[in-house]
Structures are given as C-alpha cells and as structure tokens.
Amino acid sequence: MSSSSRGPGAGARRRRTRCRRCRACVRTECGDCHFCRDMKKFGGPGRMKQSCLLRQCTAPVLPHTAVCLLCGEAGKEDTVEGEEEKFGLSLMECTICNEIVHPGCLKMGKAEGVINAEIPNCWECPRCTQEGRTSKDSGERRPREAPEEGGWRRLPPPRIGPRRPRPSAPQGSESEPGFLILPPWAPSRELGGKPKPPLASAEGPAVPSPSPQREKLERFKRMCQLLERVPDTSSSSSDSDSDSDSSGTSLSEDEAPGEARNGRRPARGSSGEKENRGGRRAVRPGSGGPLLSWPLGPAPPPRPPQLERHVVRPPPRSPEPDTLPLAAGSDHPLPRAAWLRVFQHLGPRELCICMRVCRTWSRWCYDKRLWPRMDLSRRKSLTPPMLSGVVRRQPRALDLSWTGVSKKQLMWLLNRLQGLQELVLSGCSWLSVSALGSAPLPALRLLDLRWIEDVKDSQLRELLLPPPDTKPGQTESRGRLQGVAELRLAGLELTDASLRLLLRHAPQLSALDLSHCAHVGDPSVHLLTAPTSPLRETLVHLNLAGCHRLTDHCLPLFRRCPRLRRLDLRSCRQLSPEACARLAAAGPPGPFRCPEEKLLLKDS
C-alpha cells in the first residue's frame, strides 16, 4: 500500500509472517516456478530472494513484535474466554491507515469497523470508516455487526423491465432475503435519480459526504451485483410478465417511475421494441424475457485468434562464400581455404580484429578449426553474448576454471557442444558442476574437477553413475565418464568408496590426479593396483603429491602397473627418499629417473 493512500497520523506498515499451518506453508518447493529457478539450491543466482509461488501463505499473521499503537502492549486474547473480550484484546491492523491497535483501546462510541474475513487480524478501523477513507484492497469484507437503526439501510433488489407494484415493508421490520444492505454514506437513487443528502444522527453532526472514489467503487459493486442477479430475475419474472410482454402494452399509469430500472421509465414507441435512453434496451415483445445491455465503460479489446502451436525451425544458413569480393566488383585471387591457413597462425585477439574488417572475414573467422581451445577462466560472470559466441565457434577444449558460471549456463553450453573433448571446471562450485549429471558428453576425454568445494562421496556417485532416465529399449548402462582418459580430482574429499565407483565407471583412465586428497592412503593404492582393477593395465600418469597418509609400505605396489611412466609422490611426509630411490632403481619393467626428489619419470 502506497503512502499516498494513508491519512495523517498513519502508522508504518508491518510485514506479516507465515502462519505455518495452512497447506501452502507445510508443502515443499515445486522447483519449476521462476522463484524456485532463481534459488541457489536449484542452480539459480539467488537474486530475487522470494519464496515458491506454491508456498505463499494464504493467511499471513502479524509478527510477534507487533504491539498496540495506543497502549504499547501485545495481543492478550489468550487471557480471556469470551468472544467479545477476545476481540477487544486482540491486535487488529487497519488496511487503510496501517495502525495496529486493540479494538478495546479505541473509544469511538457505537462506530464499528469492517473485518476482513480472509486475512486474520485485519480490518478497516472505525476511524477510517467514519471518515470515509478508501482502501485499494479488493478482498471481500463484511461488517462485523450492523447497527440497530440508521447505521445500515436496505434497498430492494433491482428488477429489469416492468413489474407489478409491491407493497412497501414497514420501517421497523427485519431485513428480508433479497434486500441489499448498504451503509448510510452509499448513494441511493429514488424517483428523480439524485443521491440523498447525508442524514444527521441524533448523537452528533451529519456524516460527511463520501468521496468520488468511494461513489465509483459502490456503483461498480452494485453493477456487479445487478449482473449476477439478472439471470435469476429474468427467469422468475418471465412467467409473471408473460401476459404483458405478449400483448405489447406499455407500463400502467399507476406505477411509480422509480420502479423501473435505475429510476427511469422506458420510452414509449410505436415500434415493437422499447428502448431506454443511453442505448439501454428494455423489453422486446414476444421474447422470453428482458434483454440487458449494461454499458460498463469501454469494451475490452478482442482476443487475438489462437493459432496452432507447432515447432518452427529456422531456415538453414546460407553457404559461406568461397572468395572474397573486392570493392571494385572483382574477387580476390586467394580462395577461402588459403585464407583459413593464414588465419590459423593468428591468436584469438588477432582473429577478433580480422572479424571487424568485413562481413566475409567475419564469417570465415567463425570456423571451428581456428578455435581449438577457448579460455574463459577467472571471470566473475559469463554474459549471454559470450555463451552464444562459444557455441558458435564449437571449440574442442573449454576452460571455465574459477569462473562464476551457473548451473543453467553450463547445462545450456554442454547440450550444444557435442564435440567437446576437454572441459576444465576447477575452482567452480558443485552447484554449477552438478550440470554434468544431466548433460551428454560423448566425446569428452579430459575432465578437470580440482579444488571444487563441498564434493563428497554422494556428489561423486551422482556424477559417475549411469543416468536413470534411459531411452525405451536401451539396455546398456554406461556411465557418463566411460570414455574419459584423464581425470583430475585434486583437493577433493574422496574416500575408498569413491575410488571403487571410479574403477567401475571410468575403466579407460590413463592419467589420474589425486594430489592433496586427505583421505587417500595405502588402502587406496591397493585398490588402484589390485588384480581386478581395470586401471592396473591402463594407468600411465599417477599424481599422489600431498597425500600425507601414504607410507613406504605402498611403494612396492606400484610395480604392478607395467605402463606407468610418471609417478609424483612429492610433499608426502611419511615417504622416505631412500624408499623412493629403491623403487626408481628397481621400477616396473625398466628403471625410473628422478629429476626431483620423490618424482619418478620413465622415458617412453
């Protein structure tokens, strides 16, 4: 609610909290709405900071810090038992002036407020109701208790077309069904169609006239009620008025003009159809009932025709020109293949400069042979033009290390780079890297996941296991890393359980980096070099630097790997240089050389 709608002395609006009891509060996030997609738990950036659309509370309550504006105390409805006493001691927030008070603290005489039946502890306070202030809330409100006399008045239900005179009810009688209860400030049209002036009560001065906005609101409500009552009224009055409609006679002279709709007498005409002023139709002779044409302001624009929805594929791109057109109208003697050989000697910066020369060079420089590797590392964010540029160049190697790429962006990239062979994601968050679990990478040969935070056995299992949603009829359960030859997992919290999954679902590894993994020890080396391990025959490069649990007892196990060419054991505290020297001298089929301490190399 804007501050312009509040009167003088209005209180500050308090933000309501969840009730924690309705169906929306107790359910979980849907994960599909735009608020859920923005959450970090679902891979979004987390900028909106809004709750799920399906979890928006239907009955928000006042915060526990809310107190009465007059007495400064909180709600005390739990200390009494009577309904009236509970209502007098409960906190109520006004939707107009935003003041939170106890109804018992207000001294307004017999004036009553209007309670909102949908939201708890919400009403229109008696002060705003008496002063005639308006609220922009469109919720349905009901009066808590109608005054005895003079507070609310009743109007007969509207009727369309002619009807027979009805005896008026006495003033002291109770309200009958079908009568509209309106407050004293609501305008009423009788006889002449002019609103009555406000009546003066016996207790005080006359009630001030309502504002034009209030009058418009009340007229709109009465219009809506009339439109809802038209089918019932027409069906009930068709039988009683059939005689008068069929004979085509006009209204009788003893009827009051105010009994017609809106206090106007239908104009008499010689033709069979009778019309009112302002383009309103009345009763057509011979018809089954009255026809209604109520002018409710400008008609809404017509809805556009609903077209059939189908996939529209873009037209194929025109083939690239084979020659370079010159300004004189002739073509350059060098063909496109010769220009591409020249462009292959340029770097990314020079290629971008060449793309600005002419349109033909710009199209030629997008050739994927000129972009075998793209480096976007250490960028805070990736913009959509950068992502589309990567997809258009189709690189074989992509470096996204230490970037702020999101899960949605990475998934969008991987689904469009089917020829990607090398992917570097070191230093990214697991929330972004989890996109690998839903992206097919058939040509991937190198995957770098070093120094990713919060990666444990459960996350690595999700990455290594085959996808659960296989196609119908597909019986082969291949993991996502079946074709990967080099895997870098430095700095992760891997255990022996993760290594067993790695041996099972990545059997073609030739290079493995487990450096600075705190849980890798002698049992891990035994798993890698066991007779049942597929890596025993394929492992060529093994990096175990910084693994402090390795001891001298694991060094003889490396003799089981005949193809091992590089073994890095640097920074392993419990390994002695003498034991590494004995391993280098004996080695697998041939001896190793040690350019550095605890670094074993073999010439191929």
Side-chain angles (χ1 to χ4, degrees):
M1 185 178 299
S2 61
S3 59
S4 60
S5 62
R6 303 186 315 203
R13 184 177 181 181
R14 300 299 298 271
R15 182 175 180 179
R16 290 178 170 255
T17 59
R18 291 183 176 274
C19 66
R20 305 183 185 274
R21 291 189 299 270
C22 64
R23 184 179 300 178
C25 288
V26 299
R27 65 161 294 153
T28 58
E29 289 87 356
C30 64
D32 295 331
C33 64
H34 59 282
F35 288 154
C36 287
R37 292 175 182 175
D38 179 73
M39 297 179 185
K40 291 187 176 181
K41 65 167 71 176
F42 296 111
R47 296 191 185 97
M48 295 185 182
K49 302 187 185 302
Q50 298 291 331
S51 61
C52 175
L53 286 176
L54 300 182
R55 293 197 70 243
Q56 293 184 358
C57 182
T58 57
V61 298
L62 290 174
H64 64 280
T65 57
V67 294
C68 177
L69 182 64
L70 301 179
C71 64
E73 297 183 2
K76 299 178 290 184
E77 62 272 14
D78 298 336
T79 59
V80 294
E81 297 181 356
E83 291 294 333
E84 292 295 333
E85 296 178 355
K86 283 187 176 182
F87 176 75
L89 294 179
S90 61
L91 290 176
M92 301 295 291
E93 181 184 19
C94 180
T95 59
I96 302 176
C97 62
N98 298 329
E99 291 183 354
I100 302 177
V101 295
H102 293 130
C105 296
L106 293 176
K107 298 179 181 180
M108 301 295 294
K110 296 183 179 181
E112 293 289 339
V114 181
I115 299 177
N116 191 334
E118 298 179 355
I119 304 178
N121 302 92
C122 186
W123 70 339
E124 291 184 4
C125 65
R127 183 184 306 170
C128 296
T129 304
Q130 185 178 10
E131 294 178 1
R133 297 181 187 175
T134 59
S135 173
K136 293 184 179 180
D137 296 340
S138 58
E140 183 181 357
R141 295 175 175 83
R142 58 176 178 84
R144 184 174 180 271
E145 184 180 355
E148 298 177 356
E149 287 193 21
W152 301 86
R153 50 191 174 83
R154 50 197 177 95
L155 293 180
R159 294 185 62 87
I160 311 300
R163 70 170 188 174
R164 299 176 182 177
R166 185 172 181 174
S168 59
Q171 296 182 358
S173 62
E174 298 180 356
S175 60
E176 301 176 3
F179 280 73
L180 299 179
I181 306 299
L182 298 179
W185 34 260
S188 63
R189 297 184 177 271
E190 297 181 3
L191 298 179
K194 299 180 180 180
K196 282 187 177 183
L199 300 177
S201 61
E203 298 180 3
V207 180
S209 60
S211 61
Q213 296 180 357
R214 193 73 176 193
E215 291 183 0
K216 291 180 182 179
L217 180 61
E218 292 300 327
R219 283 200 299 269
F220 178 75
K221 288 181 179 179
R222 291 205 302 274
M223 287 179 188
C224 296
Q225 292 172 356
L226 285 174
L227 291 177
E228 293 176 357
R229 293 175 181 268
V230 162
D232 302 337
T233 310
S234 60
S235 60
S236 61
S237 61
S238 58
D239 299 335
S240 60
D241 300 339
S242 59
D243 300 336
S244 60
D245 293 341
S246 59
S247 60
T249 57
S250 60
L251 294 176
S252 59
E253 295 297 335
D254 54 290
E255 281 191 2
E259 293 179 354
R261 193 179 73 180
N262 279 356
R264 295 183 180 180
R265 180 191 297 273
R268 301 183 182 183
S270 58
S271 61
E273 185 178 353
K274 304 176 183 180
E275 296 183 356
N276 280 336
R277 282 181 267 175
R280 300 175 181 175
R281 292 179 293 175
V283 182
R284 178 181 297 173
S287 61
L291 301 178
L292 177 65
S293 176
W294 191 270
L296 294 178
R303 294 184 178 179
Q306 198 70 277
L307 302 178
E308 297 182 1
R309 297 184 178 181
H310 54 276
V311 178
V312 179
R313 297 186 181 275
R317 297 183 59 188
S318 59
E320 298 180 356
D322 292 332
T323 57
L324 176 63
L326 301 177
S330 60
D331 294 337
H332 197 277
L334 285 180
R336 174 175 175 268
W339 281 111
L340 289 181
R341 291 178 183 176
V342 175
F343 291 153
Q344 286 179 355
H345 296 279
L346 303 179
R349 185 180 298 273
E350 290 80 8
L351 284 175
C352 293
I353 296 175
C354 293
M355 293 175 67
R356 301 170 60 181
V357 173
C358 63
R359 184 175 301 177
T360 304
W361 277 21
S362 177
R363 296 186 63 180
W364 286 353
C365 290
Y366 273 115
D367 194 289
K368 62 181 181 180
R369 289 174 290 181
L370 304 177
W371 304 91
R373 179 181 179 85
M374 294 191 67
D375 186 2
L376 299 177
S377 60
R378 299 191 179 276
R379 295 182 181 270
K380 293 183 179 179
S381 61
L382 301 181
T383 59
M386 297 168 63
L387 300 178
S388 60
V390 171
V391 172
R392 191 171 181 182
R393 289 166 174 84
Q394 291 292 314
R396 294 193 300 270
L398 181 61
D399 188 358
L400 298 176
S401 58
W402 305 97
T403 59
V405 61
S406 65
K407 179 181 179 180
K408 187 176 181 180
Q409 290 176 334
L410 186 59
M411 189 181 303
W412 188 88
L413 275 177
L414 298 181
N415 288 329
R416 289 161 177 80
L417 298 176
Q418 296 299 315
L420 191 64
Q421 298 179 4
E422 299 181 7
L423 180 60
V424 180
L425 296 173
S426 58
C428 298
S429 63
W430 169 252
L431 192 61
S432 305
V433 178
S434 61
L436 294 173
S438 57
L441 296 172
L444 191 63
R445 295 295 177 266
L446 184 147
L447 182 60
D448 191 343
L449 302 178
R450 293 177 295 178
W451 304 105
I452 295 179
E453 299 179 358
D454 301 331
V455 175
K456 300 193 175 141
D457 292 344
S458 59
Q459 283 83 3
L460 194 62
R461 184 183 301 109
E462 179 184 352
L463 182 62
L464 293 173
L465 290 179
D469 49 346
T470 56
K471 296 180 180 179
Q474 181 178 358
T475 57
E476 184 182 6
S477 60
R478 289 176 55 87
R480 299 181 178 89
L481 304 181
Q482 287 283 343
V484 174
E486 183 175 354
L487 186 60
R488 302 172 184 174
L489 303 175
L492 304 185
E493 298 180 5
L494 302 182
T495 60
D496 294 345
S498 301
L499 288 179
R500 293 189 185 95
L501 286 176
L502 189 64
L503 296 176
R504 179 179 179 183
H505 297 286
Q508 300 182 10
L509 286 178
S510 60
L512 181 61
D513 184 3
L514 297 177
S515 59
H516 301 282
C517 292
H519 300 288
V520 173
D522 293 348
S524 305
V525 177
H526 180 72
L527 286 175
L528 292 175
T529 59
T532 58
S533 172
L535 303 186
R536 181 176 178 176
E537 302 295 332
T538 61
L539 206 58
V540 178
H541 300 280
L542 181 60
N543 188 356
L544 297 175
C547 297
H548 303 304
R549 294 191 177 185
L550 295 178
T551 62
D552 295 341
H553 299 287
C554 69
L555 293 180
L557 300 177
F558 293 111
R559 298 177 182 176
R560 302 176 181 177
C561 301
R563 300 183 59 186
L564 193 62
R565 295 291 181 268
R566 177 186 174 91
L567 180 60
D568 192 352
L569 300 174
R570 291 175 292 183
S571 302
C572 294
R573 301 173 183 173
Q574 300 187 28
L575 288 178
S576 60
E578 294 79 9
C580 294
R582 288 193 298 270
L583 176 64
F592 286 95
R593 60 184 179 89
C594 298
E596 297 182 21
E597 187 180 5
K598 301 181 183 180
L599 177 62
L600 285 71
L601 300 178
K602 180 186 291 188
D603 298 331
S604 56

